[in-house]
Amino acid sequence: MRLFIALLLSLSLAWAQSTHPQTGSAGIYAIARIVALDQERATVRIGNQVVQAEMPTDGIDFRIGQLVVVYQADGKTYLTEPYRLHYLWALLGLFVLVTIALGRGKGLRGLLGTAASMGVLAYVVVPQIAAGSNPLLVTFLGAFGILALSIYFVHGINRKTSAALIGTTMAALVALVLATLLTEWMQFTGLTSEEAFLARFQLGGNLDLISLYLAGVVVGALGALNDVTVTQAAVVQALVQANPRYSVRELYSRGMAVGFDHIGSLVNTLVLAYAAGSLPLLLLIGQSDVPLAILFNNETFAAEIVTMLVGSLALVLAVPLTTLVAAWLLRGRKLDYIERRWPGA
């Protein structure tokens, strides 16, 4: 709960800061309102001050009355981009309302668990990495904490959720080991994006980019892993509730009857999700004169492919692993009390 409050305070601080000028590296950022426009300049109001601002060259269609971000330096004012934070708050509010309305108690706990998870990343994992700790170790420990917090808080503390946590951890470990081996065999440097280069530059060159890349592979798969393992453990739980006399083998085989369908849908879903995030790279492939074999051999492309395939492999493995663990933990038990851990859910 404290992390959720901290996250809300951070968002509130961002909202409050947006209404006052903020000092940058060489100038001042501020929120302004456009009062007049021409082809090269805009007249903007910053508080009680009206100034002329240089227009950007990226072709954005600004309009009179619109809120914008301006940057003031060396006696000049530059219009940088539209102000978007109020739209983000509105979208966040809509998401919260729909989630609580449809998910009720579990929807609310899911929101609180997500906020707490983001708090762990923002206030524990990122500061530790910036301070020089090993990104891989810090991220994996933080990820385990996030998983335990989100799974147990949302779904309660019982054997089903413990099976989901164990299955998720095992699949994440497999992904981590495989990604580590591949980065060594393929001799990755970690410079897979402009953001990685800038992060290393800002931290004085002390950032381990390989570990940071591996950490990204693990974190990228965690959300989907959580969904897969909880669902598969719930299938086994339902089978035990239907017939507590099922053996581990019977529970596993019957659970995997659903798991096979789960795997079939996961492959398509994950490939499309990763491909959607890599659309700029796909556009480069389509427009480049470099042979495809050489493009795919480039670290930027190869690292994206490794991330996609390792994450997908972890998800596929999570299904049988979680099913087996859940069958072993739940076998031969009367589970009428399960799902009553949170009354009114």
Side-chain angles (χ1 to χ4, degrees):
M1 179 63 72
R2 287 179 296 176
L3 288 173
F4 177 68
I5 295 174
L7 182 61
L8 285 181
L9 288 175
S10 298
L11 290 174
S12 300
L13 180 61
W15 177 270
Q17 287 179 343
S18 68
T19 61
H20 300 282
Q22 299 296 307
T23 302
S25 59
I28 295 176
Y29 288 97
I31 306 302
R33 186 178 296 275
I34 299 176
V35 296
L37 282 171
D38 58 38
Q39 292 184 348
E40 297 181 355
R41 292 176 180 271
T43 303
V44 299
R45 183 184 300 276
I46 308 173
N48 296 323
Q49 182 184 14
V50 177
V51 298
Q52 295 292 315
E54 300 286 340
M55 295 283 287
T57 59
D58 52 10
I60 298 178
D61 292 327
F62 294 100
R63 63 183 183 276
I64 295 176
Q66 182 179 7
L67 287 175
V68 293
V69 179
V70 297
Y71 180 70
Q72 296 177 303
D74 300 326
K76 294 185 178 181
T77 302
Y78 304 92
L79 196 157
T80 61
E81 61 184 349
Y83 180 71
R84 304 181 177 97
L85 193 57
H86 52 299
Y87 292 109
L88 295 179
W89 274 99
L91 181 59
L92 176 62
L94 178 62
F95 171 70
V96 170
L97 288 175
V98 172
T99 301
I100 294 176
L102 298 181
R104 298 184 181 180
K106 283 196 174 182
L108 177 60
R109 291 194 297 274
L111 290 171
L112 295 177
T114 300
S117 299
M118 295 303 297
V120 171
L121 285 175
Y123 297 108
V124 179
V125 174
V126 173
Q128 287 295 319
I129 294 175
S133 301
N134 185 283
L136 187 57
L137 178 62
V138 171
T139 302
F140 190 79
L141 293 178
F144 184 82
I146 289 171
L147 287 173
L149 183 66
S150 60
I151 290 177
Y152 284 141
F153 183 72
V154 176
H155 302 283
I157 302 174
N158 49 57
R159 293 177 182 270
K160 178 190 76 174
T161 52
S162 296
L165 180 60
I166 294 171
T168 302
T169 304
M170 293 171 65
L173 277 173
V174 170
L176 179 58
V177 171
L178 184 57
T180 302
L181 292 175
L182 286 169
T183 55
E184 181 178 349
W185 294 338
M186 302 174 75
Q187 297 180 304
F188 284 169
T189 64
L191 291 170
T192 57
S193 66
E194 182 179 352
E195 291 80 7
F197 176 81
L198 292 175
R200 188 174 190 179
F201 176 77
Q202 291 290 336
L203 295 175
N206 298 320
L207 183 62
D208 185 353
L209 292 180
I210 292 295
S211 295
L212 187 64
Y213 165 73
L214 293 173
V217 173
V218 175
V219 172
L222 281 181
L225 279 173
N226 185 12
D227 174 64
V228 169
T229 54
V230 170
T231 302
Q232 201 60 27
V235 170
V236 177
Q237 173 188 296
L239 290 170
V240 175
Q241 288 175 322
N243 189 349
R245 293 188 297 273
Y246 281 146
S247 65
V248 172
R249 183 173 181 176
E250 287 174 318
L251 287 173
Y252 177 79
S253 62
R254 291 174 182 271
M256 284 305 296
V258 177
F260 290 136
D261 290 333
H262 212 172
I263 290 174
S265 62
L266 279 174
V267 173
N268 184 50
T269 301
L270 261 294
V271 170
L272 288 178
Y274 280 114
S278 302
L279 280 178
L281 290 179
L282 297 177
L283 289 173
L284 286 177
I285 292 174
Q287 300 297 321
S288 177
D289 294 330
V290 180
L292 282 178
I294 303 301
L295 275 178
F296 287 136
N297 187 73
N298 182 273
E299 182 174 349
T300 301
F301 290 90
E304 286 290 335
I305 295 172
V306 168
T307 300
M308 178 181 67
L309 293 180
V310 169
S312 300
L313 179 62
L315 284 168
V316 171
L317 288 175
V319 174
L321 288 173
T322 304
T323 305
L324 182 61
V325 173
W328 185 77
L329 288 178
L330 297 172
R331 71 193 187 284
R333 299 182 183 276
K334 297 187 67 176
L335 303 175
D336 292 339
Y337 67 89
I338 289 186
E339 299 302 337
R340 297 178 187 173
R341 176 64 179 82
W342 303 103

